[in-house]
Amino acid sequence: MSEKREERSLIHQRCVERIKRLRAMRGISQAQAAFQLGWKSASYSDVESYNKQLTLDKLSALADFYDVTIGFLTDGHRENLSDAMKKRLENSIEWTL
């Protein structure tokens, strides 16, 4: 695997892990998240199962849904998050693991 491809794969894995943690913070199931996003359950499950690469549209929808930025999902950057979200992340057990 090329170095560039490995880097993209690692970014994708970290992004999916952040999505899983954000969903856990909300205390909702994959099916509930899918319903609220207007997606099929299988589509949401594919995201969290690494079965599909995220499109920019899906990434944007997830960022809006979880009240974070695309930069947070892809790179973990918290600079542009709201103060309320930063506080929730600091206080959530999902982010202390």
Side-chain angles (χ1 to χ4, degrees):
M1 189 180 292
S2 74
E3 201 170 305
K4 194 84 157 160
R5 189 179 189 121
E6 285 180 28
E7 183 179 342
R8 281 193 307 258
S9 178
L10 185 58
I11 290 169
H12 183 242
Q13 287 176 337
R14 289 178 179 164
C15 180
V16 169
E17 288 306 313
R18 287 184 195 97
I19 292 166
K20 288 179 181 180
R21 288 178 176 196
L22 288 164
R23 183 177 55 77
M25 269 178 57
R26 280 219 177 156
I28 59 175
S29 68
Q30 287 183 357
Q32 290 169 316
F35 178 79
Q36 290 176 30
L37 284 160
W39 298 359
K40 294 179 181 175
S41 290
S43 293
Y44 192 92
S45 179
D46 282 344
V47 167
E48 287 196 13
S49 301
Y50 306 100
N51 289 339
K52 291 189 179 174
Q53 291 292 325
L54 288 165
T55 64
L56 187 55
D57 286 341
K58 286 206 178 215
L59 200 55
S60 180
L62 287 163
D64 288 345
F65 179 69
Y66 288 117
D67 194 30
V68 296
T69 63
I70 291 174
F72 175 76
L73 290 178
T74 58
D75 300 323
H77 296 296
R78 296 182 182 197
E79 296 82 29
N80 295 321
L81 296 180
S82 69
D83 290 338
M85 178 51 82
K86 287 178 186 176
K87 188 79 166 164
R88 281 189 289 184
L89 291 172
E90 289 171 10
N91 294 330
S92 173
I93 190 153
E94 295 304 319
W95 299 96
T96 58
L97 301 176

